Amino acid sequence: MNSLSILASAAANSEGFEGLSGALLLMAIGMFTVFIVLLLVIYVGKCLILFVNKFVPEEVKEAPKTASFASVQAVDAVTADIIAKAVNTLTGGKGKVESIKKI
Amino acid sequence: MNSLSILASAAANSEGFEGLSGALLLMAIGMFTVFIVLLLVIYVGKCLILFVNKFVPEEVKEAPKTASFASVQAVDAVTADIIAKAVNTLTGGKGKVESIKKI
Amino acid sequence: MNSLSILASAAANSEGFEGLSGALLLMAIGMFTVFIVLLLVIYVGKCLILFVNKFVPEEVKEAPKTASFASVQAVDAVTADIIAKAVNTLTGGKGKVESIKKI
Amino acid sequence: MDILENIYGMTAIGKLIADPSYIVMIALGFVLLYLGIKKQFEPLLLVPIAFGVLLANFPGGGLGVIAADGEGCVEYLKNGVMVRQNIYEDMTIPEIAHDLGIMNMLYYALIKSGLLPPIIFMGVGALTDFGPMLRNLKLAIFGAGAQFGIFAVLIVASQCGFDMKEAGSLAIIGGADGPTAIFTTLKLAPHMLGPIAIAAYSYMALVPVIIPLVVKLTCSKEELSINMKEQDKLYPNKTEFKNMQALKILFPIVVTTIVAIIVPDAVSLIGMLMFGNLIKEIGNSTSRLFQTASNGIMNTATIFLGLCVGATMTVDAFLNLKTIGIVAGGFCAFGLSIFGGICLAKVYNLFAKKKINPLIGATGLSAVPMASRVANDIALKYDPKNHVLNYCMSSNVAGVIGSAVAAGILISFLG
Amino acid sequence: MDILENIYGMTAIGKLIADPSYIVMIALGFVLLYLGIKKQFEPLLLVPIAFGVLLANFPGGGLGVIAADGEGCVEYLKNGVMVRQNIYEDMTIPEIAHDLGIMNMLYYALIKSGLLPPIIFMGVGALTDFGPMLRNLKLAIFGAGAQFGIFAVLIVASQCGFDMKEAGSLAIIGGADGPTAIFTTLKLAPHMLGPIAIAAYSYMALVPVIIPLVVKLTCSKEELSINMKEQDKLYPNKTEFKNMQALKILFPIVVTTIVAIIVPDAVSLIGMLMFGNLIKEIGNSTSRLFQTASNGIMNTATIFLGLCVGATMTVDAFLNLKTIGIVAGGFCAFGLSIFGGICLAKVYNLFAKKKINPLIGATGLSAVPMASRVANDIALKYDPKNHVLNYCMSSNVAGVIGSAVAAGILISFLG
Amino acid sequence: MDILENIYGMTAIGKLIADPSYIVMIALGFVLLYLGIKKQFEPLLLVPIAFGVLLANFPGGGLGVIAADGEGCVEYLKNGVMVRQNIYEDMTIPEIAHDLGIMNMLYYALIKSGLLPPIIFMGVGALTDFGPMLRNLKLAIFGAGAQFGIFAVLIVASQCGFDMKEAGSLAIIGGADGPTAIFTTLKLAPHMLGPIAIAAYSYMALVPVIIPLVVKLTCSKEELSINMKEQDKLYPNKTEFKNMQALKILFPIVVTTIVAIIVPDAVSLIGMLMFGNLIKEIGNSTSRLFQTASNGIMNTATIFLGLCVGATMTVDAFLNLKTIGIVAGGFCAFGLSIFGGICLAKVYNLFAKKKINPLIGATGLSAVPMASRVANDIALKYDPKNHVLNYCMSSNVAGVIGSAVAAGILISFLG
Ligand code: NA
Ligand code: NA
Ligand code: NA
């Protein structure tokens, strides 16, 4: 929401996009731009892959990233597993962990 | 806080409830209304019980609700128990869990 | 940020601390005050130690304070230890806990 | 210019000597900290309030709340000129922060606007379980009887130098509910916010003293020995609950509707209370919202509410005769509310076969869940097998609804 | 003065009888609660929205959002006089709270200002994984094709009595993205916020119905049986990833830059989305921020966004013909977007050797991750070994970028 | 009208070509991201700041902070007309959001108001342990000596083209404390906020480089080998602690009182710091508040502070000669503060029997706890048995108080 740029061109806009022709023009602009942006994302993304492979090919050492969602859930799974096994062992197989929830 | 309704009747109010008689009137209105509301809560609540028993008699299947406070604490108790037992087993009874706190 | 006091003395201030002499004066005031404050903290702190030793010598009973950061981390360490041992026992020494993270 | 002179001018020492009432207020801050920390008087609110009192009363710190006068105006020095501005109509939030400091900004944006009490009520709702009330619905009526103190003290206070709005704010202390008392006072008499909030939370902390006192004065040993479980066996409750979860989901929606139709001015409080309860009872699918409402949001609101309420306790706002009236009147309102609940129970027992322990009337006060625990302890003293906790929780939770309704009525007719 | 008369005046009963359209809105609130709770229609947002509808429509509760008129003005009674004020220029936040209640305060400070949608997008970003998209970058193009519904419905709506701004707001429902739809509507046609938000979230909840419907109408059995893994074996992807973590850190920065340069008006949304993603992917050193952005902040924003959006649904704002247009137009936009994605996949298959399952086009819609799951289920029906989930996630996540870009274009040219 | 022409007009490409200084700022954003992510320069703040720089400098994105001029006014186009408004007195929060975008709204409501730095300090306090300081109270005096750089650079800067307010803001970088530096700059010279905040956090991240440098230049091997534990054995400390918990609860209250009386303008910072510490030390009964203050509130404040501070770094605010002065002056302030602490330790050693390792003087700087860790590493190099960490923590934590006091003095005399 950039008031300055919008407002500067407001006079033009409010007239330019009225009626069917305006809507059609907007469709053309819109679909074209959306494609341009995603094509750029794709091709710049590919360049990025090449760049990373060439210049930073190895994983950073401080690897165990907590924040990464996947690994967090992996840890959770491990923890759940441990607790489940502990319960099993300790209760002689009678106890069972129904669900473990993190608040 | 509905300014519109309050303000519309403001002239009336500010005079209507001055002095001892005003305070007594307000007491009558207040206690009466409080009783009305809670009686409605009780009787509509009873209708609700009948309604639920008749039309939704069974528990929803997605039963294990995390959010339910009670169950959360139950899980905690279970977990605490497990950890306590694990410590006991692993430390040969020498270690003891003083308290387990969730941050 | 007390606008009243600041603004009341604004006229004086804006003139009083211009130029090299003003900056030097401010340095004198500043370093002097910083020392005064920290000396007060030190000596009042010492009085406080004496006061506490004399009048509230014993630890409050509701001792296991969760909030205390140190104890929280201690609990974490204990928990980590337990889980590590449990994993070790249960996996016959094959499994290893790489890292345990609290989300 | 002398260094020491400059330093002395900067410090608050001169102002403390010139007006020692600041020192009285600072001492009050220490006393409240002592009560909150050592005596465990509702520490979650009393510690922030006490610290707010402290921060507000160091002269020159600029952290005291400047109360708007009757016309909503504040006066202060700006660029050396005394200006008078309507704080609601003329001053934007950044301007309040710039000219009057962040505590006034927080106060006018979050507290005086009436925002935080309903938000805290959302958290309270998320931590409330209506199960015991649903299992003993009939007992909810004592949540109405125990609002007696509110209206009784309203009458007395209005005859003792308080105007009707002030009397209403004072009286709501008898509702034994912090957010409700603060919300009502903000609408009716914001200049009394500090003392009323502190009185309300202090008396709530003193429930283990006040309830036994009133009970001892009004109840016989026989009455206190009425065993609710035995009564249940004698006159069994035929209600069965086939789907408690559905019931708990529907209940907050229904109560919101009832209260909103009868007392529209209570809907900010009751609506948010019930919304908090609803997102808890729905379970998994809204548990993210429940977690945040009952933790992050509620704790944040509590910190800022406490600090700001404390910061309203400036010399002018506290050191006057009305404060004594608030302390005394609040105590009476509290005691009379308990008395009202007990009386209703006694009247009920006159007519009903199935008797009710008057302690269940006393807990209609609210102050959840401490009142219920205290009542249970008293009951156990008279009969070690008499566990009344679950019965008390019904009237106790109903008392929260009752006092919010009473608040709505006061705001509606006096606001 | 009579007690009962006073009580009746206080209650909302008189107003409900005088104008029964309130009851229609309250019933709508119940229906939305039913959809959110029982039918699990996006409960995280629909439950707060529904409760907001409820709270807003109890007459006298003062919790409905008062929409500013075309000049930004609101009219209301103040001290018995009808006043007309520009709510942006003349009314401070505390004044809005004081005169119009806390719901209007929250609405004008948090929602109408455009603050909460980008903040929710920050949380969405923190919960999004761009990994599947990076592994199948080419498929991201279907996130562009599936914006077709937006612009198609824009044309139709602009010819059916909606002005261009309203048509744009209606059309953005076809983006299948809640915060994007709300953000766009706030900029273009805030008076239609309630119905548009509810339509958007309802249709997102109906993705398991709508996608199969459109797919059945447009795709042959052969197309739906295209097995992506087999295609991958036939025409192997030579890209290797030597450092996924570095890639995932660089990607949000690069996408922000591209979008910000091409469509500056989309940068509030995309920038915050990518910031949220960045603090997640950086890992340990910003995990504190990630945790809070994806939990506390996002949940708080969701609660208040939901309640306020619901509170805009007052009688005037909802009970008019345009609402029907929104419901119908929104559905068409949704369906046409899916259709657009599918068509693009079919056109692609005409020219390429390596075929693409048109379901991957359908998921360009966004509605992450439900659309992908639904598409995967459909694919498994036609070929039990055809796991398309990871391929769908690429176009699905790209659809979020695509609709934010479309929103930026609409705001830029119509705002 | 041509499609491509329209698209080109929408994009930022034309503006980037017309004024390439935007590109310089975008590149600066990338450099800061690199420092924060890869070089781990205080990532919790530098990543949001860097992203804020990025967002602010895409032309047309509307996410840059528009600085108010000396009279508090901003100029901008509104409905095609250039208007000039006082942003504090004339513009409400929703109006700022509407006319200038959400980043300006956040900046003026949360940052320029001075709200977030004290709130972050509350979180810092909740994460600070005064235990080591209480055990070695005497060492706290080095937290005073290490403020020397602030006032030394103040003198130099005031002679080099900065006015006194700007000189004070620049000098406070020598306090090595982010929130303190930001708070002071907001009060004295808000137009320099971006560069000062970035310099402060960058130098704090460079503590592992700067401290060894200054130490090497000023200390002999003998001095650095002074073993504190051996000194303790030679001259034992007779203080015993019978109730550390009570002490830790009383300490923040007492420090607040002392600071508030001597330097009232420091009470926003120190008061909130100590409040955060108090709710931590009280323990169980306020742990809910502690959790939220040190997590949710602090992280939320950090995110928005970072983004907004970054967003103040627009072309005008950064690309001028003063920025170079800030970078150079800030470094000098930093180094001279360390030097001041070391000198004080040397002077002390001239007179005292019980010698003090000058590293403990160096850590008076603050930059908790990194400075202490760095000092400990240096000490271990000279004597593998010389663990000075706990001694350093005393002067280190005292340095936080010291720089807040220095900030209060600057605000008091220059504000
Ligand atoms: Na009550
Ligand atoms: Na989309
Ligand atoms: Na310092």
Side-chain angles (χ1 to χ4, degrees), chain A residues 10-26, chain E residues 154-155 157-159 161-168 413-415, chain F residues 1:
Chain A
N13 285 348
S14 53
E15 288 139 32
F17 293 95
E18 288 307 309
L20 187 59
S21 64
L24 283 167
L25 176 62
L26 199 53
Chain E
L154 172 73
I155 294 172
S158 69
Q159 303 308 305
F162 291 92
D163 69 30
M164 280 306 282
K165 290 186 179 200
E166 292 174 340
F413 287 101
L414 302 175
Chain F
M1 228 188 287

Side-chain angles (χ1 to χ4, degrees), chain A residues 23-33, chain E residues 151, chain F residues 3 7:
Chain A
L24 283 167
L25 176 62
L26 199 53
M27 183 182 211
I29 294 171
M31 289 308 287
F32 189 84
T33 310
Chain E
F151 296 102
Chain F
I3 295 173
I7 292 178

Side-chain angles (χ1 to χ4, degrees), chain F residues 148-196:
Chain F
F148 173 71
I150 296 176
F151 296 101
V153 166
L154 172 73
I155 294 172
V156 176
S158 70
Q159 303 308 307
C160 300
F162 291 92
D163 69 28
M164 281 305 282
K165 291 186 181 200
E166 291 175 339
S169 300
L170 191 170
I172 199 68
I173 297 174
D177 211 312
T180 300
I182 290 170
F183 188 79
T184 310
T185 306
L186 285 167
K187 298 290 175 198
L188 298 182
H191 58 284
M192 303 195 334
L193 180 62
I196 286 179

Side-chain angles (χ1 to χ4, degrees), chain A residues 1-2 5-6 9-10 13-14 17-24 26-31 33-46 48-49 51-54 56-60 62-69 72, chain E residues 127 133-134 137-138 140-141 143-145 147-148 151-152 154-155 158-159 164 187 239-247 250-251 254-255 258-259 262-263 265 268 280 282-284 287 290 344 398 402 405-406 409-410 412-415:
Chain A
M1 210 274 343
N2 178 8
S5 64
I6 292 171
S9 54
N13 285 348
S14 53
F17 293 95
E18 288 307 309
L20 187 59
S21 64
L24 283 167
L26 199 53
M27 183 182 211
I29 294 171
M31 289 308 287
T33 310
V34 174
F35 271 98
I36 290 280
V37 167
L38 280 168
L39 283 171
L40 273 172
V41 167
I42 291 170
Y43 287 107
V44 177
K46 292 198 168 181
L48 209 61
I49 295 171
F51 171 85
V52 167
N53 285 348
K54 192 152 192 184
V56 258
E58 278 162 69
E59 293 287 334
V60 184
E62 323 103 279
K65 300 275 153 182
T66 351
S68 162
F69 223 54
V72 159
Chain E
L127 295 172
M133 180 166 160
L134 284 164
L137 252 183
K138 218 170 49 184
I141 197 64
Q147 309 310 322
F148 173 71
F151 296 102
L154 172 73
I155 294 172
S158 69
Q159 303 308 305
M164 280 306 282
K187 298 291 175 198
T239 322
E240 51 170 356
F241 296 90
K242 293 190 180 163
N243 188 343
M244 197 48 155
Q245 198 206 336
L247 202 58
L250 287 169
F251 190 68
V254 164
V255 173
I258 292 170
V259 172
I262 310 289
V263 194
D265 280 298
S268 314
K280 176 192 131 197
I282 289 174
N284 266 337
S287 69
F290 157 68
L344 187 64
V405 167
I409 294 162
L410 293 176
S412 180
F413 287 101
L414 302 175

Side-chain angles (χ1 to χ4, degrees), chain B residues 66-83:
Chain B
T66 353
S68 163
F69 223 56
S71 72
V72 159
Q73 292 182 321
V75 165
D76 270 4
V78 167
T79 312
D81 198 20
I82 293 160
I83 293 178

